[in-house]
């Protein structure tokens, strides 16, 4: 494992100082400064690897605290069990709301896996290589969508990423600037972007580079130009409120220490009033994943498990308030924002074990960010970050009053779960008219996360089929291993309604409840079909961007409940935190009859 960030020297004409560091390019022997290839995995925790037996023995003094972590012990139980009390999520005895004690409650990481909004192979196919494409979606989907453009793309891709939250917009701007403008080479910039997005701490070189980036963007008074060049021929632009620029300036010029910042982070991420909620999640994980989870939340650095992060001595000012307070939620988790199947496949290519879930994510994100940066260099890509209320933005685009988007109609529009707040009718009425009618594959994607709160009989626990769904969960969950780890259906029955096994089964049962009918009833009441028809569009019967719910396959349109392997179920729902009842709707242009 690379221990330090020192190495390749680059020159930045814009920033004056470039990253100077040896990047983490693979998993090496976990023993100190041994830089040999690691071929032998620790047989107990599976979290670290060694070049041989000698290094493993030398490292044991340091490693045993992780290898013997309480989360790996077969005797570990959630606090509500050891303290013999009902869990807080049943009694609503939460103490202070989890957005009140030290966090400002910003959703910085998301809780739905990033979406490839193009799916070129299922839609435009080879025609896409020569098409000008206009895309509108939430920022996190930017990476996977651009990375799906054909390798021989010759058109112009114009992208609008909107968020009403100024903190999110400015974070995205700085991360994109650091990744996509000339300065550090692509590998260095990609690794920096991973840390800027998810790590609480940075190395001195990274913090200096971040400071140079923010000064290049905002100057000293927040009066930025709003337009910046990229590694290629495209531009990065922003349209946002003056107040958010002023707050960003305060955040980036703040002077709190890493020690103070980590104290704030840990007070939230390990907050005592949220122990039962946290334990409920931890209980569903494999033992090694529990330890990986704990390490990330303790160090605050997204990196391979054995990485030495002692040189991360500066706070990441993109993830704390101007006063040094942790900005995001106590249940925020980087794993929840990505499809973990490809994450683990990527990690294995760099020598990371599946047990090291956050290490695998580090390598996956770095690879995706590097690919994205190279595409921005080679393709013509313009990216605009806007901070506007969604309804107002759609009206402004329709009136041709958004700079650089006059007469623009979109080939893809993704609205996240805004329909939960504004209703399906308004979202479709606002955005379906902005679809590109010249492209038969143009689509509006709408996500419903909270519809089950409004629709009767929408959950397994409300239905007589709950027992059948629980049976399906037992078939899909990891069986208890020789140490007693894993969820046991028999224990759920014996332990009663306070058993963590019981909560596991009841919650996971939702994944196998066929909610097609109640969702159809909900959608009918929402007026979605009528709103689409009024815009000359229709609800797509066979999806070609995202399955109708998480866990389904685009290859099987008739599928209504997940048909996953045990590993797939664990990746998606348990470790990856996917919502069991999310529904997705695709709205397409209604084609004229021939």
């Amino acid at each position: 494992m690379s221990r330090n960030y020192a190495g390749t020297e680059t020159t930045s004409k814009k920033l004056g100082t470039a990253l100077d560091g040896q990047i983490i390019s693979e998993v090496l022997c976990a023993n100190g400064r041994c830089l040999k290839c690691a071929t032998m995995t620790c047989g107990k925790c599976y979290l670290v690897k060694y070049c041989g037996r000698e290094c493993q023995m030398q490292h044991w003094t340091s490693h045993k605290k992780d290898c013997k972590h309480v989360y790996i012990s077969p005797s570990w139980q959630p606090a509500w069990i050891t303290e013999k009390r009902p869990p807080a999520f049943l009694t609503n005895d939460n103490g202070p709301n989890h957005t009140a004690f030290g966090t400002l409650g910003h959703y910085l990481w998301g809780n739905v896996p990033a979406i490839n909004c193009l799916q070129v192979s299922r839609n435009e196919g080879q025609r896409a290589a020569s098409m000008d494409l206009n895309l509108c979606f939430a920022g996190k989907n930017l990476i996977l969508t651009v990375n799906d453009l054909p390798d021989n793309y010759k058109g112009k891709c114009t992208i609008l990423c909107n968020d009403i939250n100024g903190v999110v917009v400015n974070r995205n701007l700085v991360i994109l600037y650091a990744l996509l403008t000339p300065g550090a080479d692509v590998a260095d910039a990609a690794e920096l972007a991973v840390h800027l997005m998810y790590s609480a701490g940075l190395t001195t070189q990274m913090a200096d580079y971040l400071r140079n980036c923010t000064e290049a963007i905002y100057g000293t008074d927040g009066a930025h130009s709003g337009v910046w060049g990229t590694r290629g021929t495209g531009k990065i632009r922003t349209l946002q409120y003056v107040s958010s620029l002023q707050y960003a300036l305060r955040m980036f010029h703040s002077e709190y220490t890493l020690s103070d910042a980590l104290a704030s982070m840990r007070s939230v991420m390990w907050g005592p009033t949220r122990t039962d909620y946290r334990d409920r999640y931890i209980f569903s994980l494999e033992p090694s994943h529990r330890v990986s989870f704990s390490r990330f939340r303790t160090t605050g650095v997204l990196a391979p498990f054995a990485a030495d992060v002692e040189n991360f001595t500066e706070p990441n000012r993109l993830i704390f308030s101007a006063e040094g307070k942790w900005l995001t939620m106590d249940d925020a988790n980087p794993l929840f924002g990505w499809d973990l199947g490809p994450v683990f496949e990527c990690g294995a290519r760099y020598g990371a074990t599946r047990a090291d879930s956050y290490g695998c994510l580090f390598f996956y994100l770095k690879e995706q960010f590097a690919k994205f940066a190279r595409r921005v260099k080679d393709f013509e890509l313009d990216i605009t970050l806007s901070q506007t209320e969604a309804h107002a933005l759609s009206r402004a685009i329709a009136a041709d009053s958004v700079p650089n988007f006059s007469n623009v109609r979109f080939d893809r529009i993704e609205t996240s779960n805004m329909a939960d707040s504004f209703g399906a009718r308004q979202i479709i009425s606002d955005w379906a008219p902005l679809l590109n009618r010249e492209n038969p594959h143009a689509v509006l994607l709408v996500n419903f996360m909270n519809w089950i709160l409004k629709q009767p009989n929408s959950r397994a626990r409300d239905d007589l089929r709950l027992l059948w769904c629980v049976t399906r969960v037992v078939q899909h969950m990891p069986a208890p291993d020789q140490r007693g780890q894993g969820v046991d259906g028999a224990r759920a029955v014996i332990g009663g309604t306070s058993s963590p096994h019981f909560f596991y089964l009841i919650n996971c049962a939702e994944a196998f409840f066929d909610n097609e009918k109640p969702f159809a009833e909900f959608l009918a009441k929402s007026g979605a079909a009528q709103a689409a028809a009024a815009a000359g569009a229709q609800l797509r019967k066979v999806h070609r961007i995202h399955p109708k719910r998480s866990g389904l396959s685009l290859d099987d349109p008739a599928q209504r409940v997940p048909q996953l392997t045990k590993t797939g179920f664990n990746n998606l729902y348990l470790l990856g935190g996917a919502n069991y009842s999310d529904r997705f709707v695709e709205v397409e242009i209604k084609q004229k009859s021939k």
Side-chain angles (χ1 to χ4, degrees):
M1 183 70 62
S2 299
R3 298 295 187 267
N4 300 300
Y5 289 72
T8 307
E9 187 172 325
T10 59
T11 301
S12 170
K13 295 180 180 178
K14 283 194 170 184
L15 300 180
T17 301
L19 285 171
D20 184 12
Q22 180 183 347
I23 61 177
I24 296 180
S25 56
E26 62 179 332
V27 172
L28 300 178
C29 179
N31 183 29
R33 294 188 176 276
C34 176
L35 299 179
K36 295 180 181 178
C37 293
T39 58
M40 186 176 74
T41 303
C42 175
K44 182 177 181 181
C45 70
Y46 309 103
L47 287 164
V48 296
K49 300 175 75 172
Y50 300 95
C51 64
R53 187 73 176 173
E54 182 178 352
C55 270
Q56 183 180 26
M57 294 177 65
Q58 291 175 0
H59 191 239
W60 175 244
T61 301
S62 300
H63 178 55
K64 65 181 179 181
K65 68 180 184 301
D66 294 320
C67 206
K68 293 185 175 183
H69 197 285
V70 64
Y71 285 155
I72 289 181
S73 169
S75 63
W76 181 81
Q77 291 285 343
W80 77 80
I81 295 295
T82 60
E83 296 170 8
K84 298 181 180 180
R85 58 172 175 76
F89 49 81
L90 286 188
T91 63
N92 292 319
D93 182 18
N94 300 336
N97 182 277
H98 70 301
T99 64
F101 57 95
T103 174
L104 303 182
H106 293 277
Y107 289 93
L108 302 185
W109 298 341
N111 57 358
V112 176
I115 295 168
N116 167 11
C117 296
L118 277 179
Q119 294 286 353
V120 166
S121 63
R122 298 178 184 275
N123 293 277
E124 290 86 355
Q126 290 301 314
R127 289 183 56 246
S130 58
M131 293 176 62
D132 290 341
L133 294 169
N134 298 314
L135 314 173
C136 179
F137 44 59
K140 188 177 67 174
N141 299 321
L142 174 64
I143 306 296
L144 295 187
T145 301
V146 168
N147 286 354
D148 191 46
L149 287 169
D151 293 340
N152 61 338
Y153 185 66
K154 302 299 181 184
K156 178 179 180 179
C157 186
T158 303
I159 299 169
L160 177 61
C161 295
N162 183 65
D163 200 298
I164 191 61
N165 188 323
V167 170
V168 172
V169 173
N170 283 291
R171 268 175 49 87
N172 290 342
L173 172 59
V174 174
I175 294 170
L176 288 176
Y177 186 92
L179 179 62
L180 302 182
T181 58
D185 65 26
V186 168
D188 278 330
E191 188 153 321
L192 172 63
V194 173
H195 291 302
L196 292 180
M197 181 172 285
Y198 288 119
S199 292
L202 303 174
T203 67
T204 300
Q205 295 95 335
M206 291 178 183
D208 288 343
Y209 197 81
L210 172 59
R211 188 176 303 110
N212 290 336
C213 287
T214 57
E215 288 180 357
I217 295 170
Y218 301 94
T220 58
D221 57 3
H224 65 24
S225 66
V227 182
W228 301 270
T230 66
R231 297 176 186 270
T233 59
K235 303 291 184 183
I236 302 172
R237 297 181 172 87
T238 61
L239 303 169
Q240 56 189 132
Y241 302 134
V242 172
S243 60
S244 74
L245 295 176
Q246 294 171 339
Y247 185 75
L249 204 63
R250 288 181 54 217
M251 282 178 59
F252 304 149
H253 290 180
S254 53
E255 296 183 355
Y256 54 85
T257 65
L258 177 63
S259 176
D260 291 337
L262 289 180
S264 176
M265 179 199 76
R266 290 165 184 160
S267 72
V268 175
M269 303 303 264
W270 294 107
T273 63
R274 302 293 290 179
T275 296
D276 292 351
Y277 296 83
R278 187 168 55 250
D279 281 359
R280 180 172 57 176
Y281 171 69
I282 293 172
F283 179 80
S284 70
L285 304 182
E286 299 169 22
S288 295
H289 287 157
R290 296 173 185 170
V291 182
S292 185
F293 170 88
S294 176
R295 180 172 178 79
F296 170 72
R297 287 195 160 211
T298 300
T299 66
V301 177
L302 184 67
F305 192 88
D308 182 355
V309 298
E310 289 186 358
N311 56 340
F312 283 71
T313 57
E314 298 292 326
N316 176 6
R317 301 188 190 279
L318 300 188
I319 208 166
F320 295 93
S321 73
E323 296 74 31
K325 299 299 183 182
W326 183 245
L327 282 175
T328 194
M329 321 292 278
D330 74 280
D331 56 355
N333 190 331
L335 298 177
F336 291 0
W338 305 93
D339 181 349
L340 295 188
V343 165
F344 288 129
E345 291 174 5
C346 179
R349 294 198 296 272
Y350 294 92
T353 64
R354 185 179 183 278
D356 184 8
S357 51
Y358 292 87
C360 289
L361 182 63
F362 167 84
F363 286 115
Y364 173 78
L365 291 176
K366 181 179 170 183
E367 190 174 90
Q368 292 294 325
F369 287 170
K371 181 178 180 180
F372 174 62
R374 288 191 293 268
R375 290 186 164 227
V376 168
K377 180 178 182 293
D378 296 336
F379 301 163
E380 186 177 0
L381 287 164
D382 275 359
I383 302 169
T384 297
L385 305 178
S386 63
Q387 181 195 357
T388 311
E389 190 273 324
H391 176 72
L393 179 62
S394 67
R395 290 292 180 259
I397 295 172
D400 295 330
S401 60
V402 177
N404 301 298
F405 286 89
S406 294
N407 299 313
V408 166
R409 293 299 178 263
F410 295 97
D411 300 281
R412 301 289 189 277
I413 302 173
E414 188 271 313
T415 61
S416 187
N417 69 319
M418 289 189 294
D420 286 335
S421 300
F422 300 103
R425 180 186 291 274
Q426 180 172 325
I427 291 299
I428 294 174
S429 297
D430 285 347
W431 291 97
L434 300 179
L435 289 172
N436 179 11
R437 295 185 176 275
E438 302 302 316
N439 181 1
H441 303 284
V443 66
L444 163 66
L445 182 64
V446 185
N447 178 14
F448 296 87
M449 295 178 64
N450 300 322
W451 70 277
I452 59 172
L453 303 178
K454 305 173 183 177
Q455 180 61 32
N457 302 316
S458 59
R459 300 181 296 178
R461 65 194 68 182
D462 302 327
D463 192 277
L464 295 177
R465 286 171 287 179
L466 173 60
L467 181 60
W468 180 86
C469 295
V470 168
T471 303
R472 292 292 302 277
V473 175
V474 173
Q475 294 170 353
H476 283 79
M477 67 188 182
D481 60 21
Q482 66 273 16
R483 294 172 296 182
Q485 298 294 317
V487 178
D488 190 330
R491 293 186 189 183
V493 175
I494 296 173
T497 56
S498 290
S499 164
H501 300 266
F502 174 82
F503 295 122
Y504 174 102
L505 292 176
I506 296 301
N507 288 334
C508 292
E510 301 297 341
F512 300 101
F513 177 64
D514 182 358
N515 57 23
E516 186 88 4
K517 182 178 178 181
F519 181 69
E521 294 171 352
F522 167 82
L523 207 58
K525 289 189 294 185
S526 74
Q530 293 87 337
Q538 62 188 6
L539 307 187
R540 185 178 275 177
K541 295 181 179 179
V542 178
H543 284 205
R544 299 200 297 272
I545 299 295
H546 192 284
K548 293 183 177 181
R549 60 183 293 191
S550 298
L552 303 188
S553 170
L554 285 172
D555 294 324
D556 185 0
Q559 195 178 27
R560 294 171 69 153
V561 295
Q563 296 175 9
L564 302 168
T565 64
K566 289 184 178 181
T567 298
F569 183 83
N570 184 70
N571 288 351
L572 179 63
Y573 293 115
L574 306 184
L575 188 61
N579 297 305
Y580 300 115
S581 302
D582 275 12
R583 299 289 310 201
F584 295 82
V585 169
E586 294 183 13
V587 181
E588 63 183 355
I589 299 297
K590 188 173 184 179
Q591 301 302 310
K592 296 180 180 179
S593 302
K594 295 183 178 180

